[in-house]
Amino acid sequence: MTDRDEQQRQISFVELDGAVMTALLDGDLAAAGAEAGVALTDFFLTDSALWLWRYRLGQMAGDPARAHWCGRLAVCGPGGEVVGHGGFHGPPDRGMVEVGYAVDPAFRRRGYARATLTELLRRAAAEPGVTTVRASIRPDNVASLATIAGFGFTETGELWDEEDGMETLYEIQLRTRAS
């Protein structure tokens, strides 16, 4: 991979606010894109995406500060194509945040998931209150396991997720937690 290839995969984020998520839940892709300032694809209207927007809106209603942490559009390249979305499940909890990201199928297998994870880790490291980043991955999710490989995540346990079933937990320590 050349430096130019790497530059083309660099991700920037556009924060998803309640207005964008509401427009998506209404099925109005044009309004959501206009509100976000970027063109969106039908990927943002899939069942799993709609579930996520509904869930995030509920979180934000209970705690508006979550908006800063939860939803972001992953934008790549000079044309500003939206290749997916990513963020954290919420603000730090005892110094830990959990990453979540998805890449539009039209952009998969081109390094965008790794680029999105790279940017999420950079953002987490820039936040003084974050000491640890967690990823929870189903054991059969080969693509996600390959994505986190090489970042320094270590397996720390398992947990049952109501949506996804059994997941393996992986964590990376960014800094030690102040006592």
Side-chain angles (χ1 to χ4, degrees), residues 95-177:
M96 183 171 46
V97 292
E98 184 171 344
V99 294
Y101 49 88
V103 175
D104 185 327
F107 294 97
R108 289 185 183 157
R109 304 196 53 79
R110 295 194 235 168
Y112 293 118
R114 288 184 66 80
T116 300
L117 180 57
T118 297
E119 182 59 15
L120 288 169
L121 289 171
R122 187 193 71 71
R123 287 181 175 260
E127 293 283 346
V130 176
T131 58
T132 306
V133 176
R134 172 180 278 178
S136 56
I137 302 172
R138 281 189 341 264
D140 65 344
N141 189 337
V142 176
S144 286
L145 292 169
T147 298
I148 69 164
F151 281 97
F153 282 88
T154 57
E155 186 176 329
T156 60
E158 294 180 325
L159 94 101
W160 180 261
D161 181 84
E162 292 298 320
E163 282 297 311
D164 297 322
M166 185 58 71
E167 294 182 327
T168 305
L169 303 176
Y170 298 88
E171 294 177 1
I172 184 171
Q173 193 80 23
L174 301 177
R175 64 182 66 82
T176 57
R177 192 167 150 205

Side-chain angles (χ1 to χ4, degrees), residues 30-139:
E35 183 71 32
V38 291
L40 299 175
T41 67
D42 287 340
F43 171 66
F44 295 90
L45 297 177
T46 62
D47 288 344
S48 61
L50 294 173
W51 176 89
L52 182 62
W53 312 142
R54 204 171 290 108
Y55 183 75
R56 294 293 183 231
L57 278 172
Q59 284 182 305
M60 290 164 40
D63 179 6
R66 284 183 175 271
H68 170 72
W69 291 93
C70 292
R72 299 176 185 281
L73 299 170
V75 180
C76 187
E81 287 185 292
V82 179
V83 299
H85 57 84
F88 303 98
H89 291 263
D93 181 2
R94 293 176 299 221
M96 183 171 46
V97 292
E98 184 171 344
V99 294
Y101 49 88
V103 175
D104 185 327
F107 294 97
R108 289 185 183 157
R109 304 196 53 79
R110 295 194 235 168
Y112 293 118
R114 288 184 66 80
T116 300
L117 180 57
T118 297
E119 182 59 15
L120 288 169
L121 289 171
R122 187 193 71 71
R123 287 181 175 260
E127 293 283 346
V130 176
T131 58
T132 306
V133 176
R134 172 180 278 178
S136 56
I137 302 172
R138 281 189 341 264

